[in-house]
Amino acid sequence: MKRPHVICHMMTSLDGKIIGDYMDTEEAKSLFLKYVEIQESYNPKAWMCGRVTMEESFAFGEKLEFNEGITLSVPRTDFIADAHAKRYVIAVDPKGKLRWTQSTVPTSFQLKVESHIVVVLTEVVPDDYLIYLQELGISYFFGGKEQLDLHEVLRKINTLLGAEEMMLDGGAYLNGTFLNEGLVDELSLVITPAADGDTSTPALFAKPDSLVKQPAARFVLREVQKLESNGIYLNYTINR
Ligand SMILES: NC(=O)c1ccc[n+]([C@@H]2O[C@H](COP(=O)([O-])OP(=O)(O)OC[C@H]3O[C@@H](n4cnc5c(N)ncnc54)[C@H](OP(=O)(O)O)[C@@H]3O)[C@@H](O)[C@H]2O)c1
């Protein structure tokens, strides 16, 4: 199957956490800029985040309720509103929970190229949600009937969006499901020299209990870089 090369690019604490109090340290603030710079150096055609990350950082639309109806009037066919975008941001939102305001994530200090929004759905989302996305000019495609098939999702990212490479930008659940399916090809990590020992925050990968546990993924070290603010950059490729 032709699919994009998947680079999981994340920032962690020394204890492998992806969120927590350590993010408020001077070191984390400075290293976040490095994290953005490294992401941009890949110049990715596509970057992907899970529903929770999107809700927290990019999907700030009004909390609308949708009629739950599913009829044949809105076919479950993929809808690509912009087939020529320079960059795509892919939101994994199987149940259609995210509420948007526009069809792109604009440039900012953490994003150098405007990204057209593409939502990965399952076929059980209400018709009205599909109409809502179409009216906003947001693209969507189906990654499974009731459950997502990540192999199919990647195949479509390649065929529908033309992406040969994709940054997998968290959170833990999304990363964990990709890792469990053997779909993380490269790991790109900015490590902050801080730890907070909080046991309630997620680490880099969190496999959902519903998935059958696979043997631990092993990686081969490709690059180590000492960064400013006592940070480290690590780059690994998967050892298949
Ligand atoms: N340090 C960093 O570099 C970094 C980077 C990104 C994010 N983060 C942090 O990570 C936190 C969020 O992480 P998280 O693990 O709670 O959430 P997440 O991975 O962002 O989103 C999880 C949700 O996405 C959907 N989803 C993702 N993968 C799926 C799959 N394979 N199949 C079905 N559904 C899938 C599900 O949505 P439903 O629940 O709707 O089914 C799932 O609950 C945020 O606080 C964010 O700030 C940190």
mmCIF file of all heavy atoms in Angstrom, residues 9-13 17-19 22-23 32 35 49-54 56-57 92-97 122 147-150 169-178 181 202-204 206 208 211, ligand 1:
data_model
loop_
_atom_site.group_PDB
_atom_site.id
_atom_site.type_symbol
_atom_site.label_atom_id
_atom_site.label_comp_id
_atom_site.label_asym_id
_atom_site.label_seq_id
_atom_site.Cartn_x
_atom_site.Cartn_y
_atom_site.Cartn_z
ATOM 1 N N HIS A 9 6.421 13.973 15.586
ATOM 2 C CA HIS A 9 7.240 15.105 16.041
ATOM 3 C C HIS A 9 6.615 15.683 17.300
ATOM 4 O O HIS A 9 5.484 16.181 17.269
ATOM 5 C CB HIS A 9 7.283 16.154 14.928
ATOM 6 C CG HIS A 9 8.070 17.373 15.287
ATOM 7 N ND1 HIS A 9 9.393 17.327 15.654
ATOM 8 C CD2 HIS A 9 7.720 18.691 15.328
ATOM 9 C CE1 HIS A 9 9.823 18.543 15.914
ATOM 10 N NE2 HIS A 9 8.825 19.392 15.732
ATOM 11 N N MET A 10 7.332 15.595 18.429
ATOM 12 C CA MET A 10 6.754 15.990 19.716
ATOM 13 C C MET A 10 7.786 16.648 20.607
ATOM 14 O O MET A 10 8.989 16.503 20.421
ATOM 15 C CB MET A 10 6.223 14.742 20.441
ATOM 16 C CG MET A 10 5.105 14.011 19.742
ATOM 17 S SD MET A 10 3.523 14.876 19.720
ATOM 18 C CE MET A 10 3.006 14.748 21.418
ATOM 19 N N MET A 11 7.264 17.337 21.617
ATOM 20 C CA MET A 11 8.109 17.925 22.647
ATOM 21 C C MET A 11 7.740 17.241 23.966
ATOM 22 O O MET A 11 6.549 17.110 24.277
ATOM 23 C CB MET A 11 7.804 19.420 22.712
ATOM 24 C CG MET A 11 8.691 20.158 23.630
ATOM 25 S SD MET A 11 8.506 21.916 23.296
ATOM 26 C CE MET A 11 8.672 22.493 24.957
ATOM 27 N N THR A 12 8.748 16.796 24.716
ATOM 28 C CA THR A 12 8.448 16.104 25.984
ATOM 29 C C THR A 12 9.303 16.663 27.117
ATOM 30 O O THR A 12 10.293 17.353 26.898
ATOM 31 C CB THR A 12 8.727 14.578 25.918
ATOM 32 O OG1 THR A 12 10.141 14.376 25.942
ATOM 33 C CG2 THR A 12 8.138 13.926 24.703
ATOM 34 N N SER A 13 8.906 16.280 28.335
ATOM 35 C CA SER A 13 9.728 16.553 29.521
ATOM 36 C C SER A 13 10.754 15.424 29.647
ATOM 37 O O SER A 13 10.728 14.457 28.869
ATOM 38 C CB SER A 13 8.830 16.554 30.758
ATOM 39 O OG SER A 13 8.270 15.269 30.918
ATOM 40 N N LYS A 17 6.669 13.234 29.380
ATOM 41 C CA LYS A 17 5.301 13.764 29.385
ATOM 42 C C LYS A 17 5.117 14.793 28.265
ATOM 43 O O LYS A 17 6.037 15.570 27.964
ATOM 44 C CB LYS A 17 4.995 14.412 30.726
ATOM 45 C CG LYS A 17 5.058 13.431 31.900
ATOM 46 C CD LYS A 17 4.182 12.216 31.633
ATOM 47 C CE LYS A 17 4.174 11.247 32.777
ATOM 48 N NZ LYS A 17 3.027 11.348 33.618
ATOM 49 N N ILE A 18 3.892 14.825 27.700
ATOM 50 C CA ILE A 18 3.652 15.781 26.610
ATOM 51 C C ILE A 18 2.876 17.014 27.077
ATOM 52 O O ILE A 18 2.751 17.982 26.330
ATOM 53 C CB ILE A 18 2.952 15.120 25.401
ATOM 54 C CG1 ILE A 18 1.564 14.575 25.784
ATOM 55 C CG2 ILE A 18 3.825 14.041 24.800
ATOM 56 C CD1 ILE A 18 0.688 14.278 24.580
ATOM 57 N N ILE A 19 2.314 16.964 28.285
ATOM 58 C CA ILE A 19 1.729 18.163 28.892
ATOM 59 C C ILE A 19 2.060 18.175 30.379
ATOM 60 O O ILE A 19 2.486 17.158 30.926
ATOM 61 C CB ILE A 19 0.190 18.276 28.712
ATOM 62 C CG1 ILE A 19 -0.504 16.969 29.089
ATOM 63 C CG2 ILE A 19 -0.196 18.711 27.338
ATOM 64 C CD1 ILE A 19 -2.026 17.057 29.019
ATOM 65 N N TYR A 22 5.670 21.393 33.568
ATOM 66 C CA TYR A 22 6.993 21.654 32.980
ATOM 67 C C TYR A 22 6.902 22.569 31.752
ATOM 68 O O TYR A 22 7.849 23.263 31.417
ATOM 69 C CB TYR A 22 7.692 20.320 32.621
ATOM 70 C CG TYR A 22 7.241 19.737 31.296
ATOM 71 C CD1 TYR A 22 7.894 20.066 30.113
ATOM 72 C CD2 TYR A 22 6.143 18.880 31.217
ATOM 73 C CE1 TYR A 22 7.477 19.555 28.898
ATOM 74 C CE2 TYR A 22 5.719 18.382 30.015
ATOM 75 C CZ TYR A 22 6.392 18.715 28.862
ATOM 76 O OH TYR A 22 5.964 18.226 27.660
ATOM 77 N N MET A 23 5.700 22.580 31.122
ATOM 78 C CA MET A 23 5.510 23.428 29.936
ATOM 79 C C MET A 23 5.609 24.919 30.280
ATOM 80 O O MET A 23 5.791 25.751 29.403
ATOM 81 C CB MET A 23 4.142 23.167 29.307
ATOM 82 C CG MET A 23 3.942 21.777 28.791
ATOM 83 S SD MET A 23 4.890 21.456 27.303
ATOM 84 C CE MET A 23 3.715 21.780 26.031
ATOM 85 N N PHE A 32 10.046 25.403 22.732
ATOM 86 C CA PHE A 32 8.877 25.277 21.868
ATOM 87 C C PHE A 32 9.150 25.952 20.514
ATOM 88 O O PHE A 32 8.742 25.464 19.463
ATOM 89 C CB PHE A 32 7.628 25.881 22.526
ATOM 90 C CG PHE A 32 6.401 25.702 21.670
ATOM 91 C CD1 PHE A 32 5.842 24.437 21.496
ATOM 92 C CD2 PHE A 32 5.820 26.776 21.014
ATOM 93 C CE1 PHE A 32 4.732 24.251 20.675
ATOM 94 C CE2 PHE A 32 4.705 26.602 20.200
ATOM 95 C CZ PHE A 32 4.159 25.341 20.026
ATOM 96 N N TYR A 35 11.033 23.605 18.556
ATOM 97 C CA TYR A 35 10.112 22.545 18.102
ATOM 98 C C TYR A 35 9.405 22.984 16.799
ATOM 99 O O TYR A 35 9.316 22.235 15.828
ATOM 100 C CB TYR A 35 9.093 22.269 19.222
ATOM 101 C CG TYR A 35 7.944 21.404 18.827
ATOM 102 C CD1 TYR A 35 8.051 20.017 18.803
ATOM 103 C CD2 TYR A 35 6.712 21.969 18.459
ATOM 104 C CE1 TYR A 35 6.984 19.219 18.430
ATOM 105 C CE2 TYR A 35 5.652 21.175 18.085
ATOM 106 C CZ TYR A 35 5.786 19.802 18.066
ATOM 107 O OH TYR A 35 4.728 19.020 17.682
ATOM 108 N N CYS A 49 -3.362 16.039 13.924
ATOM 109 C CA CYS A 49 -3.548 16.049 15.379
ATOM 110 C C CYS A 49 -4.838 15.318 15.721
ATOM 111 O O CYS A 49 -5.791 15.282 14.914
ATOM 112 C CB CYS A 49 -3.672 17.465 15.927
ATOM 113 S SG CYS A 49 -2.164 18.427 15.848
ATOM 114 N N GLY A 50 -4.907 14.806 16.941
ATOM 115 C CA GLY A 50 -6.122 14.163 17.440
ATOM 116 C C GLY A 50 -7.181 15.194 17.817
ATOM 117 O O GLY A 50 -6.901 16.393 17.940
ATOM 118 N N ARG A 51 -8.400 14.687 18.042
ATOM 119 C CA ARG A 51 -9.536 15.573 18.324
ATOM 120 C C ARG A 51 -9.297 16.453 19.547
ATOM 121 O O ARG A 51 -9.595 17.659 19.543
ATOM 122 C CB ARG A 51 -10.793 14.699 18.495
ATOM 123 C CG ARG A 51 -12.098 15.438 18.477
ATOM 124 C CD ARG A 51 -12.650 15.766 19.837
ATOM 125 N NE ARG A 51 -12.739 14.614 20.691
ATOM 126 C CZ ARG A 51 -12.822 14.694 22.007
ATOM 127 N NH1 ARG A 51 -12.811 15.856 22.615
ATOM 128 N NH2 ARG A 51 -12.890 13.590 22.753
ATOM 129 N N VAL A 52 -8.707 15.891 20.608
ATOM 130 C CA VAL A 52 -8.516 16.670 21.841
ATOM 131 C C VAL A 52 -7.526 17.813 21.603
ATOM 132 O O VAL A 52 -7.766 18.964 21.998
ATOM 133 C CB VAL A 52 -8.043 15.748 22.992
ATOM 134 C CG1 VAL A 52 -7.744 16.559 24.246
ATOM 135 C CG2 VAL A 52 -9.086 14.679 23.288
ATOM 136 N N THR A 53 -6.434 17.532 20.929
ATOM 137 C CA THR A 53 -5.436 18.577 20.637
ATOM 138 C C THR A 53 -6.054 19.675 19.769
ATOM 139 O O THR A 53 -5.851 20.878 20.009
ATOM 140 C CB THR A 53 -4.210 17.952 19.930
ATOM 141 O OG1 THR A 53 -3.682 16.946 20.779
ATOM 142 C CG2 THR A 53 -3.147 18.982 19.625
ATOM 143 N N MET A 54 -6.835 19.262 18.766
ATOM 144 C CA MET A 54 -7.475 20.243 17.883
ATOM 145 C C MET A 54 -8.423 21.153 18.663
ATOM 146 O O MET A 54 -8.452 22.366 18.464
ATOM 147 C CB MET A 54 -8.276 19.523 16.795
ATOM 148 C CG MET A 54 -7.430 18.976 15.698
ATOM 149 S SD MET A 54 -6.664 20.341 14.803
ATOM 150 C CE MET A 54 -5.519 19.449 13.798
ATOM 151 N N GLU A 56 -8.332 21.913 21.740
ATOM 152 C CA GLU A 56 -7.578 22.786 22.652
ATOM 153 C C GLU A 56 -6.897 23.946 21.900
ATOM 154 O O GLU A 56 -6.838 25.057 22.400
ATOM 155 C CB GLU A 56 -6.485 21.921 23.291
ATOM 156 C CG GLU A 56 -5.911 22.426 24.575
ATOM 157 C CD GLU A 56 -4.877 21.442 25.087
ATOM 158 O OE1 GLU A 56 -5.250 20.500 25.806
ATOM 159 O OE2 GLU A 56 -3.698 21.612 24.766
ATOM 160 N N SER A 57 -6.424 23.679 20.701
ATOM 161 C CA SER A 57 -5.554 24.673 20.046
ATOM 162 C C SER A 57 -6.109 25.326 18.789
ATOM 163 O O SER A 57 -5.678 26.418 18.428
ATOM 164 C CB SER A 57 -4.223 24.017 19.663
ATOM 165 O OG SER A 57 -3.627 23.445 20.792
ATOM 166 N N VAL A 92 -8.231 14.292 13.332
ATOM 167 C CA VAL A 92 -8.835 12.964 13.486
ATOM 168 C C VAL A 92 -10.003 13.100 14.458
ATOM 169 O O VAL A 92 -9.814 13.227 15.669
ATOM 170 C CB VAL A 92 -7.783 11.938 13.965
ATOM 171 C CG1 VAL A 92 -8.436 10.569 14.154
ATOM 172 C CG2 VAL A 92 -6.645 11.849 12.960
ATOM 173 N N ASP A 93 -11.204 13.106 13.897
ATOM 174 C CA ASP A 93 -12.408 13.405 14.674
ATOM 175 C C ASP A 93 -13.505 12.420 14.265
ATOM 176 O O ASP A 93 -14.453 12.784 13.563
ATOM 177 C CB ASP A 93 -12.832 14.856 14.371
ATOM 178 C CG ASP A 93 -14.037 15.299 15.183
ATOM 179 O OD1 ASP A 93 -14.368 14.631 16.197
ATOM 180 O OD2 ASP A 93 -14.657 16.301 14.799
ATOM 181 N N PRO A 94 -13.374 11.150 14.700
ATOM 182 C CA PRO A 94 -14.249 10.101 14.148
ATOM 183 C C PRO A 94 -15.737 10.338 14.357
ATOM 184 O O PRO A 94 -16.554 9.904 13.546
ATOM 185 C CB PRO A 94 -13.786 8.832 14.884
ATOM 186 C CG PRO A 94 -12.955 9.292 16.046
ATOM 187 C CD PRO A 94 -12.397 10.625 15.672
ATOM 188 N N LYS A 95 -16.106 11.061 15.426
ATOM 189 C CA LYS A 95 -17.542 11.221 15.707
ATOM 190 C C LYS A 95 -18.062 12.612 15.339
ATOM 191 O O LYS A 95 -19.198 12.946 15.646
ATOM 192 C CB LYS A 95 -17.798 10.943 17.193
ATOM 193 C CG LYS A 95 -17.356 9.532 17.592
ATOM 194 C CD LYS A 95 -17.630 9.253 19.062
ATOM 195 C CE LYS A 95 -16.914 8.010 19.552
ATOM 196 N NZ LYS A 95 -15.625 8.255 20.206
ATOM 197 N N GLY A 96 -17.217 13.441 14.743
ATOM 198 C CA GLY A 96 -17.672 14.776 14.339
ATOM 199 C C GLY A 96 -17.968 15.682 15.519
ATOM 200 O O GLY A 96 -19.010 16.338 15.579
ATOM 201 N N LYS A 97 -17.035 15.753 16.478
ATOM 202 C CA LYS A 97 -17.249 16.596 17.671
ATOM 203 C C LYS A 97 -16.704 18.005 17.511
ATOM 204 O O LYS A 97 -17.072 18.901 18.271
ATOM 205 C CB LYS A 97 -16.550 15.947 18.880
ATOM 206 C CG LYS A 97 -17.169 14.650 19.346
ATOM 207 C CD LYS A 97 -16.451 14.153 20.597
ATOM 208 C CE LYS A 97 -16.898 12.779 21.013
ATOM 209 N NZ LYS A 97 -16.032 12.196 22.037
ATOM 210 N N THR A 122 -15.771 8.928 10.666
ATOM 211 C CA THR A 122 -16.356 7.618 10.364
ATOM 212 C C THR A 122 -17.743 7.888 9.763
ATOM 213 O O THR A 122 -18.259 9.017 9.844
ATOM 214 C CB THR A 122 -16.497 6.743 11.628
ATOM 215 O OG1 THR A 122 -17.318 7.441 12.558
ATOM 216 C CG2 THR A 122 -15.145 6.422 12.236
ATOM 217 N N GLN A 147 -15.386 2.411 13.001
ATOM 218 C CA GLN A 147 -14.051 2.545 13.604
ATOM 219 C C GLN A 147 -13.098 3.004 12.513
ATOM 220 O O GLN A 147 -13.279 2.637 11.352
ATOM 221 C CB GLN A 147 -13.536 1.187 14.111
ATOM 222 C CG GLN A 147 -14.471 0.442 15.047
ATOM 223 C CD GLN A 147 -14.492 1.063 16.430
ATOM 224 O OE1 GLN A 147 -13.546 1.724 16.828
ATOM 225 N NE2 GLN A 147 -15.586 0.884 17.144
ATOM 226 N N LEU A 148 -12.064 3.721 12.915
ATOM 227 C CA LEU A 148 -11.082 4.148 11.919
ATOM 228 C C LEU A 148 -10.113 3.015 11.603
ATOM 229 O O LEU A 148 -9.670 2.292 12.496
ATOM 230 C CB LEU A 148 -10.274 5.338 12.438
ATOM 231 C CG LEU A 148 -11.030 6.650 12.607
ATOM 232 C CD1 LEU A 148 -10.068 7.732 13.083
ATOM 233 C CD2 LEU A 148 -11.711 7.070 11.314
ATOM 234 N N ASP A 149 -9.774 2.919 10.325
ATOM 235 C CA ASP A 149 -8.710 2.024 9.878
ATOM 236 C C ASP A 149 -7.554 2.950 9.478
ATOM 237 O O ASP A 149 -7.619 3.638 8.447
ATOM 238 C CB ASP A 149 -9.231 1.205 8.680
ATOM 239 C CG ASP A 149 -8.123 0.388 8.030
ATOM 240 O OD1 ASP A 149 -6.937 0.588 8.360
ATOM 241 O OD2 ASP A 149 -8.454 -0.455 7.178
ATOM 242 N N LEU A 150 -6.529 2.993 10.317
ATOM 243 C CA LEU A 150 -5.455 3.978 10.085
ATOM 244 C C LEU A 150 -4.669 3.708 8.798
ATOM 245 O O LEU A 150 -4.125 4.637 8.191
ATOM 246 C CB LEU A 150 -4.509 4.030 11.288
ATOM 247 C CG LEU A 150 -5.130 4.587 12.573
ATOM 248 C CD1 LEU A 150 -4.104 4.617 13.695
ATOM 249 C CD2 LEU A 150 -5.732 5.971 12.366
ATOM 250 N N ASP A 169 1.479 14.943 14.998
ATOM 251 C CA ASP A 169 1.805 15.926 16.035
ATOM 252 C C ASP A 169 0.998 15.726 17.317
ATOM 253 O O ASP A 169 0.696 16.700 18.013
ATOM 254 C CB ASP A 169 1.539 17.341 15.486
ATOM 255 C CG ASP A 169 2.591 17.778 14.487
ATOM 256 O OD1 ASP A 169 3.627 17.099 14.383
ATOM 257 O OD2 ASP A 169 2.386 18.804 13.799
ATOM 258 N N GLY A 170 0.619 14.491 17.627
ATOM 259 C CA GLY A 170 -0.027 14.242 18.914
ATOM 260 C C GLY A 170 -1.531 14.467 18.899
ATOM 261 O O GLY A 170 -2.117 14.769 17.865
ATOM 262 N N GLY A 171 -2.156 14.287 20.068
ATOM 263 C CA GLY A 171 -1.558 13.939 21.333
ATOM 264 C C GLY A 171 -1.212 12.471 21.519
ATOM 265 O O GLY A 171 -1.049 11.728 20.554
ATOM 266 N N ALA A 172 -1.195 12.096 22.778
ATOM 267 C CA ALA A 172 -0.736 10.781 23.187
ATOM 268 C C ALA A 172 -1.581 9.648 22.591
ATOM 269 O O ALA A 172 -1.056 8.632 22.145
ATOM 270 C CB ALA A 172 -0.788 10.705 24.718
ATOM 271 N N TYR A 173 -2.883 9.832 22.597
ATOM 272 C CA TYR A 173 -3.811 8.800 22.108
ATOM 273 C C TYR A 173 -3.572 8.565 20.609
ATOM 274 O O TYR A 173 -3.431 7.436 20.155
ATOM 275 C CB TYR A 173 -5.238 9.277 22.371
ATOM 276 C CG TYR A 173 -6.344 8.325 21.996
ATOM 277 C CD1 TYR A 173 -7.081 7.672 22.989
ATOM 278 C CD2 TYR A 173 -6.691 8.090 20.676
ATOM 279 C CE1 TYR A 173 -8.120 6.802 22.655
ATOM 280 C CE2 TYR A 173 -7.711 7.230 20.331
ATOM 281 C CZ TYR A 173 -8.428 6.594 21.322
ATOM 282 O OH TYR A 173 -9.454 5.747 20.989
ATOM 283 N N LEU A 174 -3.540 9.672 19.864
ATOM 284 C CA LEU A 174 -3.320 9.550 18.413
ATOM 285 C C LEU A 174 -1.972 8.873 18.150
ATOM 286 O O LEU A 174 -1.876 7.926 17.376
ATOM 287 C CB LEU A 174 -3.373 10.940 17.763
ATOM 288 C CG LEU A 174 -3.207 10.935 16.250
ATOM 289 C CD1 LEU A 174 -4.430 10.330 15.570
ATOM 290 C CD2 LEU A 174 -2.979 12.339 15.715
ATOM 291 N N ASN A 175 -0.924 9.342 18.797
ATOM 292 C CA ASN A 175 0.405 8.745 18.615
ATOM 293 C C ASN A 175 0.387 7.261 18.978
ATOM 294 O O ASN A 175 0.978 6.437 18.290
ATOM 295 C CB ASN A 175 1.445 9.426 19.518
ATOM 296 C CG ASN A 175 1.706 10.873 19.144
ATOM 297 O OD1 ASN A 175 1.312 11.311 18.070
ATOM 298 N ND2 ASN A 175 2.370 11.598 20.026
ATOM 299 N N GLY A 176 -0.304 6.946 20.088
ATOM 300 C CA GLY A 176 -0.337 5.560 20.581
ATOM 301 C C GLY A 176 -1.023 4.627 19.593
ATOM 302 O O GLY A 176 -0.586 3.488 19.409
ATOM 303 N N THR A 177 -2.085 5.105 18.948
ATOM 304 C CA THR A 177 -2.785 4.235 17.994
ATOM 305 C C THR A 177 -1.919 4.022 16.740
ATOM 306 O O THR A 177 -1.871 2.927 16.198
ATOM 307 C CB THR A 177 -4.170 4.801 17.606
ATOM 308 O OG1 THR A 177 -4.019 6.134 17.131
ATOM 309 C CG2 THR A 177 -5.122 4.816 18.781
ATOM 310 N N PHE A 178 -1.218 5.044 16.311
ATOM 311 C CA PHE A 178 -0.313 4.889 15.160
ATOM 312 C C PHE A 178 0.829 3.940 15.494
ATOM 313 O O PHE A 178 1.188 3.080 14.699
ATOM 314 C CB PHE A 178 0.237 6.255 14.705
ATOM 315 C CG PHE A 178 -0.600 6.907 13.650
ATOM 316 C CD1 PHE A 178 -1.767 7.579 13.990
ATOM 317 C CD2 PHE A 178 -0.249 6.853 12.316
ATOM 318 C CE1 PHE A 178 -2.567 8.183 13.023
ATOM 319 C CE2 PHE A 178 -1.038 7.445 11.330
ATOM 320 C CZ PHE A 178 -2.191 8.107 11.681
ATOM 321 N N GLU A 181 -0.206 0.329 15.499
ATOM 322 C CA GLU A 181 -0.450 -0.227 14.158
ATOM 323 C C GLU A 181 0.841 -0.359 13.357
ATOM 324 O O GLU A 181 0.814 -0.691 12.176
ATOM 325 C CB GLU A 181 -1.401 0.697 13.375
ATOM 326 C CG GLU A 181 -2.814 0.730 13.889
ATOM 327 C CD GLU A 181 -3.590 -0.538 13.556
ATOM 328 O OE1 GLU A 181 -3.374 -1.120 12.484
ATOM 329 O OE2 GLU A 181 -4.388 -0.967 14.404
ATOM 330 N N PRO A 202 -0.416 12.626 30.323
ATOM 331 C CA PRO A 202 -0.031 11.581 29.359
ATOM 332 C C PRO A 202 1.427 11.678 28.920
ATOM 333 O O PRO A 202 2.009 12.764 28.877
ATOM 334 C CB PRO A 202 -0.964 11.837 28.171
ATOM 335 C CG PRO A 202 -1.342 13.269 28.261
ATOM 336 C CD PRO A 202 -1.298 13.649 29.717
ATOM 337 N N ALA A 203 1.979 10.523 28.586
ATOM 338 C CA ALA A 203 3.321 10.464 27.997
ATOM 339 C C ALA A 203 3.186 10.472 26.473
ATOM 340 O O ALA A 203 2.088 10.615 25.939
ATOM 341 C CB ALA A 203 4.030 9.223 28.496
ATOM 342 N N LEU A 204 4.292 10.301 25.816
ATOM 343 C CA LEU A 204 4.356 10.411 24.348
ATOM 344 C C LEU A 204 3.361 9.519 23.605
ATOM 345 O O LEU A 204 2.742 9.934 22.625
ATOM 346 C CB LEU A 204 5.802 10.044 23.967
ATOM 347 C CG LEU A 204 6.275 10.202 22.556
ATOM 348 C CD1 LEU A 204 6.040 11.608 22.050
ATOM 349 C CD2 LEU A 204 7.771 9.866 22.513
ATOM 350 N N ALA A 206 0.083 6.726 24.131
ATOM 351 C CA ALA A 206 -0.897 6.096 25.031
ATOM 352 C C ALA A 206 -1.801 5.204 24.193
ATOM 353 O O ALA A 206 -2.685 5.699 23.475
ATOM 354 C CB ALA A 206 -1.717 7.166 25.747
ATOM 355 N N PRO A 208 -4.854 3.015 23.475
ATOM 356 C CA PRO A 208 -6.157 2.804 24.128
ATOM 357 C C PRO A 208 -6.305 1.341 24.546
ATOM 358 O O PRO A 208 -5.819 0.445 23.850
ATOM 359 C CB PRO A 208 -7.170 3.143 23.036
ATOM 360 C CG PRO A 208 -6.415 3.717 21.908
ATOM 361 C CD PRO A 208 -4.969 3.431 22.070
ATOM 362 N N LEU A 211 -7.404 -1.558 22.141
ATOM 363 C CA LEU A 211 -6.548 -2.151 21.096
ATOM 364 C C LEU A 211 -5.674 -3.252 21.681
ATOM 365 O O LEU A 211 -5.219 -3.150 22.825
ATOM 366 C CB LEU A 211 -5.644 -1.084 20.474
ATOM 367 C CG LEU A 211 -6.334 0.069 19.758
ATOM 368 C CD1 LEU A 211 -5.298 1.015 19.162
ATOM 369 C CD2 LEU A 211 -7.260 -0.446 18.655
HETATM 370 N N1 LIG B 1 4.025 18.207 23.763
HETATM 371 C C1 LIG B 1 3.626 18.113 22.526
HETATM 372 O O1 LIG B 1 4.471 18.106 21.588
HETATM 373 C C2 LIG B 1 2.156 17.976 22.216
HETATM 374 C C3 LIG B 1 1.739 17.879 20.874
HETATM 375 C C4 LIG B 1 0.383 17.700 20.622
HETATM 376 C C5 LIG B 1 -0.536 17.634 21.661
HETATM 377 N N2 LIG B 1 -0.106 17.754 22.933
HETATM 378 C C6 LIG B 1 -1.084 17.691 24.042
HETATM 379 O O2 LIG B 1 -1.741 16.441 24.022
HETATM 380 C C7 LIG B 1 -2.989 16.579 24.713
HETATM 381 C C8 LIG B 1 -4.067 15.747 24.059
HETATM 382 O O3 LIG B 1 -3.671 14.402 23.975
HETATM 383 P P1 LIG B 1 -4.758 13.230 24.078
HETATM 384 O O4 LIG B 1 -4.033 11.951 24.023
HETATM 385 O O5 LIG B 1 -5.628 13.516 25.255
HETATM 386 O O6 LIG B 1 -5.693 13.457 22.803
HETATM 387 P P2 LIG B 1 -5.484 13.478 21.212
HETATM 388 O O7 LIG B 1 -4.592 12.361 20.777
HETATM 389 O O8 LIG B 1 -5.165 14.853 20.772
HETATM 390 O O9 LIG B 1 -6.974 13.171 20.742
HETATM 391 C C9 LIG B 1 -7.547 11.933 21.083
HETATM 392 C C10 LIG B 1 -8.903 11.808 20.393
HETATM 393 O O10 LIG B 1 -8.742 11.850 18.980
HETATM 394 C C11 LIG B 1 -9.583 10.870 18.384
HETATM 395 N N3 LIG B 1 -8.677 9.827 17.842
HETATM 396 C C12 LIG B 1 -7.342 9.951 17.721
HETATM 397 N N4 LIG B 1 -6.818 8.857 17.165
HETATM 398 C C13 LIG B 1 -7.832 8.020 16.919
HETATM 399 C C14 LIG B 1 -7.916 6.727 16.355
HETATM 400 N N5 LIG B 1 -6.859 6.099 15.890
HETATM 401 N N6 LIG B 1 -9.122 6.138 16.269
HETATM 402 C C15 LIG B 1 -10.207 6.790 16.733
HETATM 403 N N7 LIG B 1 -10.190 8.024 17.277
HETATM 404 C C16 LIG B 1 -9.016 8.630 17.362
HETATM 405 C C17 LIG B 1 -10.506 10.357 19.499
HETATM 406 O O11 LIG B 1 -11.563 11.305 19.542
HETATM 407 P P3 LIG B 1 -13.000 10.992 20.242
HETATM 408 O O12 LIG B 1 -12.740 11.030 21.708
HETATM 409 O O13 LIG B 1 -13.851 12.109 19.778
HETATM 410 O O14 LIG B 1 -13.436 9.640 19.738
HETATM 411 C C18 LIG B 1 -9.592 10.495 20.698
HETATM 412 O O15 LIG B 1 -10.247 10.555 21.933
HETATM 413 C C19 LIG B 1 -3.329 18.061 24.657
HETATM 414 O O16 LIG B 1 -3.413 18.553 25.981
HETATM 415 C C20 LIG B 1 -2.182 18.699 23.890
HETATM 416 O O17 LIG B 1 -1.794 19.944 24.422
HETATM 417 C C21 LIG B 1 1.213 17.909 23.234
#
